Amino acid sequence: MASSGKVLDFEEYVRNRQDALLRSARRLVPDPIDAQDLLQTALVRTYGRWEGIADKSLADAYLRRVMINTRTEWWRARKLDEVPTEQLPDASVEDSTEQHADRALLMDVLGVLAPKQRSVVVLRHWEQMSTEETAEALGMSTGTVKSTLHRALARLRQELESRDLDFHALERNERGQERCAA
């Protein structure tokens, strides 16, 4: 009968957290179907070890780690479908340089926040947790989450504006030097 309780606990956990876990899987793999497969595989692997997770509040973190490890296994085991040909196909290659630059800027700007602020921003906007979920995950009240998030976003805006002003001043300075050299 103990195994029946185990099943119900796990089933209840999955029912309550499946949307958040699927969002995490979607951030790990680009294809929505692959994300569902990744989550299912992680759930199957976790089910066998469910009793070993003493602190069930860490189950999300455990499952995310299982998803990351599974995705890595899939990546390593992938087959390369390259076929040598005499002529290269005419295919355009998307340049994601700007997207990578934006991501690098975001990661850099997040560094100006205090750890508590950074945690709130990441959980609310990156992990898309609700205010209540964020408060529970960080052990604080919802009011504290809201005020911390408000201050953190204001600080991020301020930092981005100052970097933008610095960038434009640098551009003007370079143009002025080019005119003088000409």
Side-chain angles (χ1 to χ4, degrees):
M1 203 58 155
S3 120
S4 173
K6 172 184 167 185
V7 172
L8 290 178
D9 283 347
F10 186 75
E11 287 177 3
E12 181 181 348
Y13 168 77
V14 172
R15 256 192 309 279
N16 291 335
R17 299 295 300 148
Q18 66 186 353
D19 291 338
L21 293 170
L22 184 57
R23 281 193 305 269
S24 293
R26 288 291 309 270
R27 282 189 284 281
L28 292 171
V29 292
D31 182 73
I33 302 301
D34 288 343
Q36 290 175 351
D37 289 346
L38 177 63
L39 177 57
Q40 288 301 315
T41 302
L43 289 171
V44 168
R45 290 179 176 182
T46 302
Y47 176 76
R49 300 192 180 268
W50 187 249
E51 288 299 314
I53 303 173
D55 186 356
K56 300 298 190 229
S57 67
L58 299 175
D60 278 7
Y62 183 90
L63 259 160
R64 284 189 189 106
R65 174 49 53 195
V66 172
M67 284 191 282
I68 289 168
N69 292 344
T70 302
R71 188 228 25 218
T72 302
E73 288 172 17
W74 289 357
W75 181 82
R76 287 180 180 153
R78 75 193 188 287
K79 286 188 345 188
L80 296 178
D81 295 327
E82 293 181 6
V83 179
T85 62
E86 289 185 27
Q87 285 189 318
L88 293 175
D90 290 333
S92 65
V93 176
E94 289 187 33
D95 183 11
S96 59
T97 306
E98 194 169 313
Q99 184 180 10
H100 289 291
D102 288 346
R103 186 179 192 92
L105 175 64
L106 175 62
M107 298 308 284
D108 189 41
V109 169
L110 280 174
V112 303
L113 297 177
K116 180 172 141 182
Q117 290 178 326
R118 189 173 30 248
S119 297
V120 170
V121 169
V122 168
L123 292 178
R124 282 289 288 127
H125 291 287
W126 200 308
E127 289 292 328
Q128 298 178 344
M129 289 183 170
S130 69
T131 303
E132 293 76 21
E133 290 171 332
T134 303
E136 185 179 322
L138 297 176
M140 55 178 68
S141 71
T142 56
T144 302
V145 168
K146 290 176 185 178
S147 62
T148 302
L149 181 63
H150 177 76
R151 285 190 299 276
L153 292 177
R155 177 69 178 104
L156 288 174
R157 264 186 237 102
Q158 177 186 15
E159 182 66 21
L160 287 171
E161 287 171 2
S162 75
R163 289 178 186 220
D164 193 41
L165 290 174
D166 291 345
F167 175 75
H168 290 302
L170 180 64
E171 270 187 336
R172 283 191 300 274
N173 189 18
E174 287 176 356
R175 279 192 300 246
Q177 287 176 354
E178 287 173 3
R179 280 188 220 130
C180 289

